[in-house]
Amino acid sequence: MLRIEFEEPTESVCNCCQNAIVRLTRFVYKDDDAFAVYYAQYTHGHSEKRLIGIISLGEWGSDEVGAEARLAFPFQIWMNGDNFQVGLVDARDSPWSHVTFLGRILDRTEALAHEWINDVFHITDHMVEDDKEIVEYFS
């Protein structure tokens, strides 16, 4: 069973439209063990509602474990009618491409073939159902 720990959102101003960019940091636990971290961001007022995110999976919860024990999966979420769509993106297209503690950031093709891809989609399912900030954004 997954449980998400929600940090307070932070905001900044979008350079293109001066609207609020909302950034989220979330910690995911599986059976009460540290399982993943995700970052997500979206901008209010853009013509297309699109969330950009990254999920880092692997070993968390211990100072002895380094980034080499984790992999990161960059993605986007948007609506198609009443359905959520999740698309993986290449590392260079992620706003977190410079963040090293998340682990090696996979490109789309490698991420889709990775054995952890089902965990990524499981977490994105919870994001659009359980993360009230994300639910409100897409409402």
Side-chain angles (χ1 to χ4, degrees):
M1 177 149 137
L2 294 185
R3 177 177 62 85
I4 302 172
E5 184 179 299
F6 304 96
E7 296 289 308
E8 284 297 315
T10 62
E11 290 189 8
S12 61
V13 176
C14 179
N15 291 333
C16 74
C17 64
Q18 307 307 305
N19 287 321
I21 298 172
V22 177
R23 290 187 175 89
L24 307 173
T25 300
R26 306 300 196 229
F27 303 97
V28 181
Y29 298 88
K30 185 175 184 179
D31 300 324
D32 290 323
D33 290 327
F35 180 62
V37 169
Y38 71 80
Y39 292 141
Q41 74 177 37
Y42 54 85
T43 304
H44 289 290
H46 278 188
S47 58
E48 180 183 25
K49 287 188 177 185
R50 186 171 291 260
L51 177 142
I52 301 167
I54 192 164
I55 296 171
S56 176
L57 291 165
E59 293 295 321
W60 288 97
S62 168
D63 291 337
E64 296 86 43
V65 175
E68 63 277 357
R70 298 185 280 273
L71 294 172
F73 298 76
F75 64 93
Q76 295 183 13
I77 299 175
W78 66 97
M79 296 291 296
N80 184 4
D82 291 337
N83 299 311
F84 287 101
Q85 303 294 306
V86 178
L88 297 175
V89 299
D90 285 333
R92 70 179 176 276
D93 298 326
S94 171
W96 299 278
S97 62
H98 64 286
V99 178
T100 58
F101 73 89
L102 295 173
R104 185 169 63 85
I105 301 174
L106 303 180
D107 283 329
R108 182 179 188 278
T109 302
E110 186 179 9
L112 285 169
H114 198 277
E115 64 182 306
W116 294 347
I117 192 62
N118 289 334
D119 292 322
V120 171
F121 290 132
H122 187 198
I123 291 169
T124 60
D125 286 347
H126 278 275
M127 290 172 68
V128 298
E129 293 174 8
D130 301 334
D131 192 321
K132 75 175 183 107
E133 302 290 336
I134 294 172
V135 171
E136 287 175 12
Y137 171 65
F138 283 112
S139 294

